Amino acid sequence: QKEVEQNSGPLSVPEGAIASLNCTYSDRGSQSFFWYRQYSGKSPELIMFIYSNGDKEDGRFTAQLNKASQYVSLLIRDSQPSDSATYLCAVNHGSSNTGKLIFGQGTTLQVKP
Amino acid sequence: NAGVMQNPRHLVRRRGQEARLRCSPMKGHSHVYWYRQLPEEGLKFMVYLQKENIIDESGMPKERFSAEFPKEGPSILRIQQVVRGDSAAYFCASSPGGAKGTQYFGPGTRLTVL
């Protein structure tokens, strides 16, 4: 079992729709959860972080965390073609507590005009 | 530019040469992380450093790879006797510290080994 799992996609949604990206993790001691966006050939860009169970909203983005189910998701409302990228879920390695991030393989999102 | 800086952005080496990758963290950040992204693969943690200390090197290959973060100057990731399998994008990230500290990535160094 991979430590952080994501569906590689591609996930295709029409412009204006809600895109839902999902991630599961195996380490129950994980404390911090991050979503990064990576355009092809570019570096990861931090989108959201969440530490507590529940929802966290920032503009068109909502992160959701359920520690009991070891599940974290990212919702993108009113998706735009410029949102087309690979979205990386990252989890702080809780047992070592060093801040080391474990990344999923990423989900490719395509927003079609 | 207050962001994480990396240089060079592109580096070409022949097999057997040495590669030196540099990273300057964001202003006010004292924690540096190195990650590697192989073609068509995810980001993999390599090493975590604070000034003059290696905190966690659990992701570093056992041979040929080393990292430092001196008291003065940038963090350096050094790869000796490069092989074609070392071709990848190497990203540096910095954070202000703490286990929950968010990490901000630099633009990366694309290493190509001929």
Side-chain angles (χ1 to χ4, degrees), chain A:
Chain A
Q1 180 190 9
K2 292 180 180 178
E3 292 185 80
V4 179
E5 293 203 54
Q6 295 180 255
N7 187 326
S8 61
L11 173 65
S12 183
V13 300
E15 184 176 354
I18 296 175
S20 178
L21 304 159
N22 305 314
C23 172
T24 59
Y25 60 94
S26 61
D27 184 356
R28 283 196 171 274
S30 300
Q31 300 181 30
S32 313
F33 307 86
F34 305 86
W35 284 99
Y36 287 85
R37 177 175 63 195
Q38 187 175 28
Y39 292 110
S40 180
K42 302 296 185 181
S43 63
E45 173 192 6
L46 182 67
I47 299 295
M48 294 280 290
F49 60 88
I50 186 167
Y51 305 140
S52 304
N53 277 328
D55 295 0
K56 180 181 178 183
E57 187 174 319
D58 183 2
R60 295 186 297 112
F61 300 96
T62 299
Q64 299 174 317
L65 175 61
N66 183 326
K67 289 187 177 181
S69 300
Q70 296 174 247
Y71 175 93
V72 58
S73 65
L74 179 70
L75 300 178
I76 307 174
R77 289 181 298 281
D78 188 23
S79 295
Q80 302 296 309
S82 59
D83 294 326
S84 298
T86 296
Y87 288 80
L88 304 172
C89 172
V91 176
N92 168 264
H93 201 277
S95 59
S96 66
N97 213 32
T98 67
K100 171 173 81 174
L101 294 180
I102 307 298
F103 283 84
Q105 288 290 97
T107 297
T108 300
L109 173 66
Q110 296 174 347
V111 181
K112 298 190 174 180

Side-chain angles (χ1 to χ4, degrees), chain B residues 22-80:
Chain B
R22 297 174 186 78
C23 169
S24 296
M26 286 178 71
K27 188 175 181 180
H29 288 189
S30 58
H31 299 247
V32 167
Y33 302 80
W34 286 93
Y35 294 85
R36 177 166 67 174
Q37 189 170 38
L38 292 166
E40 305 305 322
E41 292 191 18
L43 276 161
K44 303 293 185 187
F45 168 80
M46 299 182 76
V47 63
Y48 162 39
L49 310 103
Q50 296 179 26
K51 284 285 187 181
E52 300 186 278
N53 286 301
I54 296 174
I55 308 302
D56 182 351
E57 56 182 347
S58 59
M60 287 280 269
K62 293 289 185 280
E63 298 177 348
R64 303 187 296 108
F65 285 72
S66 62
E68 63 177 6
F69 190 13
K71 186 176 181 180
E72 301 292 338
S75 175
I76 306 287
L77 179 67
R78 181 183 178 201
I79 311 172
Q80 295 178 290

